[in-house]
């Protein structure tokens, strides 16, 4: 079932490198345009970063929006996206995304087992021109793993998002990140019994089923190392596998890079990122293979300093693929009775804002020393928070874990973690005065519809609550990321271009391997997957017709 395809067949029309959502979408579309397609996957599992993600997809003007009484227009979407990219993405690429994304979504529903439903979550900046309060983000309906047959064992397992809930259920219906005990156990049991998966697992499974239905070849444990160039065009890729090295796989039409980012490559991070990522949220195989291959053939690069920020926590002893597991922070940033402080004991951000924007402040430099202003950082909370909500995986009734420092006074807590005691006391006093007044005068926490949606809907205020009941706690916060978002620059046909803006014939890119059209911004839930699947759709069609264009 999983034999080495390369032993018998080494020539294809289109070779797709990577098996996340971008790669699987590209493979489906290339096949549907008549191409013979091979998917190369470095690891022994299908799904890449997509399989461990939330699975949401941000698609403006999509055909499901009416189901949540929302509407959209091309003009509103353009206004919103242009504002968030801050001039750091080409207009024609933004327009291409907005025009193609809804088409891509409908195509996948019509031609694969995937079905999508809209979310009621707001855009991440709903008050900006063109922003929306709901509907632009969609998610896959649950998928039965049994439909994958023997390939089910080859789907990458989830990391920390392993519950059988949809995003809508987790964020709205049950607020599972606050009160997981409110989730009906019979619902979870039924889904587990039926083998139903949700989130990124559902998206990956649905796309994989679409690939299998088409008989598209998949080669696992085959790491692409070098692009083959003949007479000025890309004609294939050199592959390292378990049993051989230097195998040439030829692509008569094109190669599509869909190999994720470089957040696990310390050398590349040091060269390109302006800050640090100490706790990546992705599988530890995203080491920039595609980026290095593109650079080696003269690709232009863009957006290299940007990442999909996601501040995270680390629980001692947890791991994924033999590397430390980081957990993106949810309730610990939006709930009442909690604030974030730096070593000076000062708040430095609207904690309830979207994770991408929050993550950027961890890269702010101290002007007086070679250090980051907001590293280290802690989420400070009291017994009011501890008695109501989860902290990482710790339930309110569980004993306090050793990895969360605690003390009976703020002064003692600050000394224990190495923060300024006077600064922390003043900050908490100031915060409590804001709570009494019902307004965060420093950072505006709770003023955006997004903040309130992410907060506790059952609290007197979804985001504001005093910190005054001992004991007090300080949860360490780390700069995390879903992935990097810089790489080879592409045009509107998903072709990789050189420094002169000319296409590198036979080379396409989609996914986190390529320069993101979002620039520094993050549109809403699914802003990673929406654009990368759209670019996968475009790349698949264009790569399959490459021979007709040259």
């Amino acid at each position: 079932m999983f034999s080495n395809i390369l032993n018998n067949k080494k020539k294809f029309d289109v070779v797709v490198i990577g098996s996340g959502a971008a790669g699987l979408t590209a493979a489906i579309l290339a096949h549907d345009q008549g191409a013979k397609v091979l998917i190369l996957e470095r690891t022994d599992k299908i799904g890449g970063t997509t399989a461990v993600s939330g699975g949401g997809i941000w698609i403006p003007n999509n055909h499901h929006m009416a189901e949540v009484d929302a509407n959209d227009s091309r003009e509103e979407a353009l206004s919103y996206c242009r504002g968030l990219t801050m001039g750091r993405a080409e207009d024609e690429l933004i327009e291409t995304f907005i025009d193609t994304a809804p088409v891509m979504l409908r195509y996948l529903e019509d031609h694969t087992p995937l079905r999508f439903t809209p979310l009621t979550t707001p855009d991440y900046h709903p008050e900006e021109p063109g922003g929306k309060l709901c509907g632009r983000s969609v998610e896959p309906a649950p998928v039965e793993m049994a439909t994958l047959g023997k390939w089910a064992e080859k789907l990458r397992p989830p990391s920390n998002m392993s519950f059988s809930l949809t995003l809508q259920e987790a964020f709205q219906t049950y607020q599972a990140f606050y009160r997981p005990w409110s989730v009906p156990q019979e619902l979870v049991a039924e889904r587990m019994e039926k083998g139903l998966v949700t989130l990124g697992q559902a998206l990956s499974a649905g796309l994989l089923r679409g690939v299998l239905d088409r008989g598209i070849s998949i080669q696992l444990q085959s790491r692409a190392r070098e692009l083959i160039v003949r007479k000025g065009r890309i004609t294939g890729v050199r592959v390292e596998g378990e049993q051989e090295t230097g195998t040439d796989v030829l692509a008569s039409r094109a190669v599509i890079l869909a190999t994720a980012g470089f957040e696990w490559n310390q050398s590349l991070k040091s060269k390109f990122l302006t800050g640090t990522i100490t706790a990546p949220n992705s599988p530890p195989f995203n080491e920039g293979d595609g980026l290095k291959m593109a650079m080696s053939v003269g690709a232009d690069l863009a957006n290299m300093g940007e990442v999909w920020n996601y501040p995270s926590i680390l629980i001692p002893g947890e791991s994924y693929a033999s590397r430390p597991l980081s957990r993106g922070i949810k309730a610990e940033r939006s709930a009442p009775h909690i604030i974030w402080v730096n070593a000076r004991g000062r708040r430095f951000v609207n904690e309830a804002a979207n994770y991408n924007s929050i993550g950027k402040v961890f890269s702010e430099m101290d002007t007086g020393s070679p250090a980051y202003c907001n590293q280290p950082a802690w989420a400070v909370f009291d017994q009011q928070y501890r008695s109501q909500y989860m902290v990482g995986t710790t339930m309110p009734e569980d004993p306090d874990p050793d990895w969360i420092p605690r003390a009976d006074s703020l002064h003692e807590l600050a000394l224990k973690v190495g923060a300024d005691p006077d600064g922390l006391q003043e900050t908490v006093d100031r915060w409590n005065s804001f709570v009494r007044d019902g307004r965060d005068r420093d950072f505006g926490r709770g003023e955006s519809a997004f903040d309130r949606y992410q907060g506790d809907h059952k609290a007197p205020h979804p985001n504001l609550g005093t910190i005054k009941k001992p004991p007090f706690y300080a949860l360490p916060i780390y700069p995390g990321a879903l992935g990097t978002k810089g790489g080879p620059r592409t045009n509107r046909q998903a072709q990789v271009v050189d420094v002169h803006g000319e296409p590198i014939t036979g080379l396409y890119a989609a996914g986190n391997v390529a320069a993101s059209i979002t620039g520094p911004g993050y549109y809403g839930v699914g802003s990673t997957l929406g654009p990368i699947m759209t670019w996968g759709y475009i790349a698949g069609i264009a790569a399959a017709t490459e021979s007709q264009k040259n």
Side-chain angles (χ1 to χ4, degrees), residues 149-440:
K150 293 183 178 180
W151 278 91
E153 67 186 74
K154 293 298 180 181
L155 187 68
R156 174 159 296 286
S159 51
N160 57 65
M161 300 184 75
S162 57
F163 46 82
S164 299
L165 294 181
T166 65
L167 286 174
Q168 182 67 21
E169 291 167 341
F171 283 112
Q172 176 68 31
T173 309
Y174 306 115
Q175 287 221 289
F177 297 117
Y178 289 95
R179 286 171 287 271
W181 51 88
S182 69
V183 178
Q185 295 304 299
E186 60 272 17
L187 173 65
V188 175
E190 180 184 3
R191 286 180 179 168
M192 292 179 65
E193 184 178 347
K194 293 181 178 179
L196 289 169
V197 292
T198 56
L199 309 176
Q201 290 277 288
L203 182 59
S204 298
L207 289 171
L208 177 56
R209 184 66 262 170
V211 165
L212 297 175
D213 287 344
R214 288 162 170 78
I216 296 172
S217 299
I218 304 171
Q219 183 64 47
L220 302 176
Q221 294 178 285
S222 298
R223 186 176 186 179
R225 284 293 202 177
E226 180 183 354
L227 294 169
I228 300 170
V229 184
R230 297 284 186 273
K231 297 181 179 180
R233 67 171 293 146
I234 306 303
T235 59
V237 61
R238 189 154 291 125
V239 177
E240 292 181 0
E242 272 195 307
Q243 300 174 354
E244 72 284 311
T245 59
T247 300
D248 287 354
V249 182
L250 302 182
S252 63
R253 301 184 189 177
V255 171
I256 301 175
L257 298 175
T259 54
F262 56 90
E263 62 272 13
W264 286 93
N265 186 313
Q266 187 57 49
S267 175
L268 291 175
K269 288 192 294 182
S270 297
K271 290 176 183 176
F272 294 115
L273 301 185
T274 56
T276 61
I277 301 175
T278 58
N281 308 124
S282 60
F285 312 106
N286 298 349
E287 297 182 296
D289 290 0
L291 170 62
K292 289 186 284 187
M293 284 188 282
M295 291 170 64
S296 72
V297 296
D300 194 15
L301 304 180
N303 217 43
M304 292 301 295
E306 295 290 342
V307 303
W308 304 101
N309 293 290
Y310 208 138
S312 301
I313 63 172
L314 295 169
I315 300 177
E318 288 194 328
S319 64
Y320 184 82
S322 301
R323 301 293 290 271
L325 171 67
S326 63
R327 293 178 173 271
I329 294 175
K330 298 173 180 66
E332 296 93 342
R333 75 172 191 272
S334 301
H337 310 297
I338 192 167
I339 59 174
W340 291 11
V341 301
N342 55 26
R344 296 186 299 277
R346 306 297 185 183
R347 286 181 70 214
F348 54 89
V349 74
N350 168 11
E351 301 91 343
N354 72 84
Y355 42 79
N356 185 63
S357 295
I358 293 175
K360 292 180 183 297
V361 301
F362 286 94
S363 298
E364 181 182 344
M365 292 297 297
D366 189 328
T367 57
S369 63
Y372 295 106
C373 295
N374 301 312
Q375 296 184 46
W378 301 269
V380 173
F381 55 97
D382 68 352
Q383 184 59 29
Q384 294 178 91
Y385 183 100
R386 180 74 179 88
S387 65
Q388 294 184 66
Y389 307 120
M390 285 183 67
V391 183
T393 57
T394 302
M395 297 290 188
E397 66 273 16
D398 292 338
D400 290 336
D402 294 338
W403 49 271
I404 306 179
R406 57 166 281 178
D408 291 330
S409 71
L410 291 169
H411 187 276
E412 181 186 353
L413 183 69
L415 292 176
K416 182 173 287 189
V417 300
D420 181 341
D422 293 335
L424 180 58
Q425 185 65 63
E426 291 171 7
T427 295
V428 171
D429 290 344
R430 183 172 176 81
W431 169 255
N432 288 340
S433 72
F434 292 166
V435 175
R436 288 191 294 271
D437 294 343
R439 182 185 177 194
D440 174 11

